[in-house]
DNA sequence: CTTACGGCCTGGGTGC
DNA sequence: TGCACCCAGGCCGTAA
């Protein structure tokens, strides 16, 4: 599942080859995950890729108009941004057209060096959209600050007074962007905070610890090229190895590396959450009331 | 307004 | 070999 470290890994890979390339043509397969499929074919060809960046879990490919430098005055939307969200199973990689096309490849962007950028997505939970230069700020404003760069002060500001469970807030891209399920669990473990704790009940010290933990976990994961659980591969097709360092994610029933407790998995904010019940203490009160754990309907 | 939650999209993996 | 079921991230509608 591509989260911030995986997307960062892909972006770094693409950055090695894409900038300077011109897009010659676009070919699409299924398009139900693309906001405006027709716009890709109409507006991309001829444009030059000038940058590849990351916005949370989105990949941003910046495209300058045909005549590169001097854009005519009166041209309202000189630059375009191709935004790609990999969802769960999305992949974006530069390949030679001769290479066999992986199943579920739905986007082909022909480049001027004979290669092509391919988008592959088994589940199509990903998303592709085109945003104009003027529309980019609005797009960004719908997301919080980047999880990797958010300051301790801003992080705290996002949590203070929030009654939601901390896990839910970490996953909420409006609080901070880039976090996903794996790194939320790993960060909470590292900070010794139970995923069901209410944000407003976290101490100043715990918030600081969590902020630290997030940075450390994300940095370490990026260093190892992200986590390859099932099928994540970077732009060159190589897997990451941070899954070897997972402390709770995917370790249900196994021993906590820190205290020897048995890792548990529960559902929080609709997502499976892994934690050590011994060193991540459950909230005392508040649970009784919000006891949503009761199964809906008669399960039999 | 904030939060919680179910449902939906899709298809690979799993277990029976 | 078949097949029901689970699960994943994001988003949306609804309810409290």
């Amino acid at each position: 599942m591509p989260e911030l470290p995986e997307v960062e890994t892909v972006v770094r890979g693409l950055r090695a080859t894409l900038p300077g390339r011109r897009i010659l043509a676009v070919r699409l397969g299924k398009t139900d995950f693309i906001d405006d499929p027709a716009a890709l074919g109409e507006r991309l060809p001829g444009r030059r890729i000038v940058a590849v960046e990351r916005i949370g879990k989105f990949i941003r490919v910046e495209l300058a108009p045909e005549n590169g430098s001097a854009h005519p005055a009166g041209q309202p939307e000189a630059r375009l941004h191709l935004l790609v969200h990999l969802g769960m199973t999305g992949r974006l990689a530069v390949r030679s057209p001769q290479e066999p096309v992986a199943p579920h490849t739905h986007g082909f962007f022909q480049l001027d060096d004979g290669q092509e950028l391919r988008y592959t997505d088994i589940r199509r939970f990903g998303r592709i959209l085109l945003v104009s230069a003027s529309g980019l700020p609005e797009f960004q404003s719908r997301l919080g600050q980047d999880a990797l760069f958010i300051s301790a002060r801003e992080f705290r500001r996002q949590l203070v007074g929030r009654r939601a469970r901390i896990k839910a807030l970490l996953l909420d891209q409006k609080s901070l962007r880039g976090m996903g399920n794996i790194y939320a669990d790993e960060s909470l473990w590292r900070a010794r905070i139970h995923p069901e704790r209410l944000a407003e009940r976290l101490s100043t010290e715990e918030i600081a610890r969590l902020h630290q933990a997030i940075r450390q976990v994300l940095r370490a994961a990026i260093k190892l090229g992200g986590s390859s659980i099932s099928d994540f591969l970077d732009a060159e097709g190589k897997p990451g190895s941070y899954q070897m360092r997972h402390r709770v994610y995917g370790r249900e029933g196994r021993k906590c590396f820190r205290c020897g407790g048995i890792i548990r998995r529960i559902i929080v904010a609709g997502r499976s959450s892994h934690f050590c019940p011994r060193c991540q203490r459950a909230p005392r009160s508040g649970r009784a009331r919000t006891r949503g754990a009761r199964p809906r309907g008669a399960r039999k």
Side-chain angles (χ1 to χ4, degrees):
Chain A
M1 295 120 254
E3 301 179 26
L4 189 152
E6 290 75 30
V7 177
E8 179 67 24
T9 299
V10 171
V11 162
R12 289 181 182 185
L14 294 176
R15 201 178 279 149
T17 54
L18 286 185
R21 298 279 61 78
R22 214 151 54 90
I23 294 179
L24 300 181
V26 177
R27 207 169 81 249
L28 303 174
K30 292 188 179 177
T31 58
D32 54 356
F33 61 98
I34 302 175
D35 281 25
D36 184 357
L40 298 189
E42 289 163 11
R43 305 175 70 185
L44 295 189
R47 286 185 176 264
R48 194 175 295 282
I49 297 169
V50 294
V52 183
E53 299 291 335
R54 180 180 60 75
I55 301 180
K57 297 188 219 176
F58 282 87
I59 295 165
R60 176 175 72 85
V61 179
E62 185 171 343
L63 301 150
E66 203 134 12
N67 308 324
S69 50
H71 44 89
Q75 189 106 22
E77 296 175 354
R79 298 233 160 157
L80 280 182
H81 303 275
L82 181 68
L83 301 178
V84 180
H85 194 297
L86 300 176
M88 280 182 62
T89 54
R91 280 187 204 169
L92 196 57
V94 177
R95 289 287 135 84
S96 158
Q98 281 84 269
E99 277 186 69
V101 175
H104 307 290
T105 298
H106 300 296
F108 302 83
F109 303 85
Q110 191 191 338
L111 304 174
D112 64 353
D113 64 350
Q115 305 256 92
E116 67 186 7
L117 178 64
R118 292 178 180 172
Y119 181 75
T120 305
D121 192 346
I122 297 171
R123 305 268 152 81
R124 302 203 304 284
F125 282 7
R127 188 177 164 207
I128 294 181
L129 67 158
L130 209 48
V131 173
S132 65
S134 59
L136 193 62
E138 199 225 319
F139 176 85
Q140 300 223 48
S141 73
R142 277 186 245 131
L143 301 170
Q145 288 186 14
D146 194 275
L148 192 57
F149 307 119
I150 191 169
S151 67
R153 180 189 198 70
E154 174 62 16
F155 183 67
R156 192 179 154 60
R157 205 171 72 80
Q158 288 299 326
L159 302 188
V160 165
R162 300 293 298 273
R163 206 159 300 184
R165 289 171 289 193
I166 185 61
K167 173 73 183 270
L169 289 181
L170 290 183
L171 293 179
D172 182 359
Q173 303 297 299
K174 290 188 288 295
S175 301
L176 70 170
R177 61 171 123 108
M179 273 289 169
N181 206 36
I182 296 175
Y183 298 102
D185 282 3
E186 292 297 318
S187 299
L188 287 168
W189 177 84
R190 198 177 174 105
R192 305 194 303 280
I193 295 171
H194 191 286
E196 286 184 306
R197 294 278 303 280
L198 299 188
E200 67 174 3
R201 299 242 183 133
L202 295 177
S203 70
T204 303
E205 207 256 318
E206 285 174 321
I207 292 177
R209 221 159 63 206
L210 181 55
H211 176 253
Q212 248 331 86
I214 289 170
R215 298 166 81 86
Q216 290 168 341
V217 165
L218 294 179
R219 290 219 173 105
I222 290 171
K223 213 167 264 181
L224 293 184
S227 305
S228 291
I229 300 285
S230 47
D231 58 0
F232 168 72
L233 299 173
D234 67 18
E236 280 111 50
K238 288 180 316 209
S241 61
Y242 191 71
Q243 68 279 7
M244 312 291 295
R245 300 273 190 93
H246 289 179
R247 290 305 182 242
V248 282
Y249 190 86
R251 298 194 65 247
E252 182 184 12
R254 302 181 55 196
K255 282 188 177 172
C256 172
F257 280 105
R258 187 165 44 213
C259 75
I262 302 301
I263 303 302
R264 289 230 299 137
R265 183 173 74 93
I266 60 174
I267 302 298
V268 183
R271 293 284 167 260
S272 64
S273 303
H274 312 71
F275 68 101
C276 169
R278 245 176 99 184
C279 48
Q280 292 169 269
R281 293 297 183 182
R284 325 186 187 325
S285 60
R287 325 192 42 180
R289 196 175 51 81
T290 328
R291 203 72 203 111
R294 193 159 291 112
R296 56 263 113 155
R299 183 61 180 219
K300 186 205 76 163

